Amino acid sequence: MNVLIVSCGSYVSQGYGCPGEWKCFKAARDREGNFKDYDSVNVVGFLTCECPGRSLIPNIGCVKKNVDFDVIHLSTCMVNAWPACPYRDVDELAKKITEKFGVKVVKGTHDYA
């Protein structure tokens, strides 16, 4: 399964409860959390959504032109952000991504604390 991971740039760069992408990569490598049902996982890209999120859809499009992916995982820090993102509703974002690119969007990457 070719996976593109999208994370919250504020959580990753500012340390708001997420020490960085290593948890997402570990879960993908070990097929844990939201990756557990895949036979194999190949992370083909890692994007961060930067406030206010305007460039995320175009950036996913740039990746899609150059790298094929089967599914997009919105990172656990993006899905469970508290306080919630003031710019994007996660469910609405997942819907827009699916409509635009025709791929499944999974909300979450790992179950680690």
Side-chain angles (χ1 to χ4, degrees):
M1 183 70 66
N2 289 331
V3 176
L4 174 64
I5 298 173
V6 177
S7 74
C8 173
S10 291
Y11 268 66
V12 171
S13 65
Q14 304 297 319
Y16 295 119
C18 180
E21 65 279 349
W22 73 268
K23 287 183 178 182
C24 294
F25 285 122
K26 180 184 181 320
R29 181 195 68 208
D30 296 342
R31 292 189 5 250
E32 297 174 339
N34 294 73
F35 301 102
K36 67 180 178 253
D37 294 329
Y38 301 148
D39 292 331
S40 66
V41 178
N42 181 31
V43 177
V44 297
F46 188 92
L47 293 176
T48 56
C49 183
E50 301 297 336
C51 297
R54 275 185 232 131
S55 63
L56 181 60
I57 300 288
N59 286 344
I60 292 172
C62 288
V63 173
K64 189 69 173 166
K65 287 179 185 176
N66 295 289
V67 179
D68 191 33
F69 51 84
D70 305 306
V71 63
I72 294 176
H73 277 256
L74 301 180
S75 69
T76 297
C77 67
M78 185 174 217
V79 173
N80 298 332
W82 187 256
C85 177
Y87 304 108
R88 292 281 182 186
D89 173 87
V90 174
D91 293 325
E92 179 74 19
L93 177 61
K95 182 181 171 188
K96 284 183 181 182
I97 291 170
T98 297
E99 288 172 357
K100 177 80 176 173
F101 301 104
V103 297
K104 181 179 176 181
V105 175
V106 175
K107 292 181 274 180
T109 49
H110 60 79
D111 299 326
Y112 311 134

